Amino acid sequence: MSDILDAIEQFLARDVVMHVHGLEKADAYPAEIVERMKALGLFGATIAPEYGGLGLPCGQYAQIVERIARVWMSLTGIFNSHLIMAAIVGRHGTDAQKHEFLPRFAVGELRGGLALTEPDCGTDLQAIRMTAKRDSDDYVINGTKTWISNGIYGQCFALLVKTDLSAQPRHQGMSMFLAEKGPGFTVGRKLEKLGYKGIDSAELIFDDYRIPADRLIGGVEGFGLKHALSGLELGRINVAARGVGVAQAALDESVKYAQLRKTFGKPIAQHQAIQLKLADMATRTEAARLLVGRAADFYDRGIRCDMEAGMAKLFATEAAMENSAEALRVHGGYGYSTDFPVERFYRDAPLLVIGEGTNEMQRIIIARQLIERSPV
Amino acid sequence: MKILVPVKRVVDYNVKVRVKADGTGVETAGVKMSMNPFDEIAIEEAVRLKEKGVATEIVAISIGVAACSETIRTALAMGADRGVLVETDMAVEPIAVAKMLKALVEKEQPQLVILGKQAIDDDMSATGQMLAALLGWPQGTFASKVAVENGGITVTREVDGGLETVALTLPAVVTTDLRLNEPRYASLPNIRKARKKPIETMKPADLGVDPTPRLTVLRVTEPPKRRAGQKVGSVAELVMKLRTEAKVI
């Protein structure tokens, strides 16, 4: 694994670090870096080798996500949701779908992500309104998705729809399609955000979009919510790994700055007030990393890990929030300046506590699991 | 044509080197090690020659501790076909390396050996020249451009004051300068594939070479810290200080 992480570090040092500040300020899509990511093989990281991927276990993949998030969290979004889409096809797709799509996903020729959220619902996925109606050999899709990562530059999305509006329970009327851009599938506006710059978060509009029935993932209606939820464990471990990356970056910048900045005749690292912060930041980061490693280990062994992934997501993303705020304080005025990277961590971290299931939702999942696993 | 590329394991160029407390050398324990950057350029050049159809096989060689196999794996991931590790725990000097490489050249019969012009640890810049001398082969050192044509090789060299172009007959030894190419980094799938490529392991004695050092390191020290500069108020003051304090005029 160290050889793979070395290659990631090399990629970051040569092709990423020097561009982050400019791309972030301009909120510009990192097209050239994406080409390097394709050449590096990142878009196939967790796809099975038989389809041209690397087949990395989740534990190793999480380490890659962490390393990249330390340098620029936005980059991780470009392949995270792409790989969740690939994981859903790998687990639930028909053989024909696997053979048609996974090799193209693995080399990054066809990129995209998940399209679940709608203007009126995110956490409560069963409330989606997008419909797909059968019409001979096709389905016709109508509705709008929003906050879709890779929405502008991606070409293919795992799209959650309702195929039966009257089904009870509601999830039995939900299905998932692999939708490639084409007539009737247009991109609405690019969404402006506090942080997470560079990556395209967009609205996707479907207006009588016609899709062949063989793009229905798994070939059977009614399993859409199950498919979507199956990707969430991996998704949460992904986001947790990003949290560790941001927390570590905030710590690294603070440790460096605290040795350079002097007040009252000595580096601020020698003041107890700063030392207390650094110690807490480091401890949080290590604890978060261990939780991510544990959840990933469960995932790799095929053990149900919604509680463990939830704990990792909750703790690591809160660590990112707290560390970025503390880094700002350690840096003083320079922390508030856009010339230093810590303000970026401070703007990026909140996405992590909201996205991929809010942290409030994670607490509920954890509590439910605690009770389910220990009934009285 | 077969190309041999020796690669050296050195302290990573991003690491700030520290002198060991006892002054016997540079601290390497727990320090990130990588392939000498000039050797990466050598591997890249060899891979490019293979992609052009000029080379048929690239053999990466490393001499040193067992962990040098990691350096060979990097070369294999970049595109070398197989590796040879000559394992020794001794600190090998250029002449011993050159002798071992000569023995490997006689065994492998390559048409070209491409080496980094120097390693960033001791900056000796000696191995390539010594190897050429031992083999009696022509050498093109500090190459910024290499072209294999008509059974020979043209090497553009970076020399003081400009560029010099030399035409060599093959077989030959070439050492790489910084501007020869920008080495690729290995893709993740190629790193995976490299794990399956063969590495042959041998000892210096298998090549008939005794690597016992001939040089003795007396002491390794940090360079003196730079002193703060001075600001002068006028040219006259500057001239006065240069005359009276620095005593250079």
Side-chain angles (χ1 to χ4, degrees), chain B residues 47-188:
Chain B
V47 173
R48 288 184 188 188
L49 287 172
K50 192 176 174 195
E51 286 169 348
K52 281 183 196 157
V54 175
T56 50
E57 190 185 25
I58 302 165
V59 184
I61 298 164
S62 196
I63 300 172
V65 296
C68 290
S69 63
E70 291 165 14
T71 315
I72 295 175
R73 288 277 172 226
T74 305
L76 297 175
M78 287 174 71
D81 298 291
R82 61 187 172 87
V84 177
L85 168 65
V86 184
E87 197 182 330
T88 173
D89 289 334
M90 282 190 197
V92 282
E93 292 169 357
I95 188 64
V97 173
K99 284 180 180 174
M100 285 187 255
L101 291 177
K102 175 176 183 272
L104 284 166
V105 165
E106 284 162 356
K107 184 173 172 232
E108 296 279 351
Q109 297 289 314
Q111 286 291 290
L112 192 57
V113 181
I114 310 181
L115 310 86
K117 70 168 182 176
Q118 65 197 72
I120 61 166
D121 49 5
D122 53 21
D123 283 330
M124 291 274 202
S125 191
T127 306
Q129 295 87 331
M130 286 177 171
L131 176 64
L134 290 172
L135 288 167
W137 286 9
Q139 58 181 297
T141 51
F142 315 128
S144 62
K145 196 174 166 196
V146 169
V148 177
E149 52 207 357
N150 306 325
I153 182 166
T154 308
V155 176
T156 304
R157 308 179 59 227
E158 296 199 352
V159 293
D160 288 346
L163 300 172
E164 178 187 53
T165 303
V166 292
L168 314 176
T169 54
L170 292 173
V173 172
V174 169
T175 74
T176 62
D177 214 322
L178 196 62
R179 280 156 288 273
L180 179 58
N181 60 50
E182 189 179 337
R184 72 195 66 192
Y185 46 75
S187 70
L188 305 183

Side-chain angles (χ1 to χ4, degrees), chain A residues 66 70-71 244-259 278 281-282 285 289 323 327 331 342 345:
Chain A
E66 184 200 320
R70 280 188 209 176
V71 175
V244 179
V246 173
Q248 182 70 52
L251 171 66
D252 290 344
E253 290 296 329
S254 300
V255 168
K256 196 163 67 184
Y257 183 77
Q259 294 175 75
L278 296 180
M281 289 166 78
T285 310
R289 186 175 290 120
N323 278 14
H331 280 71
V342 291
F345 309 146

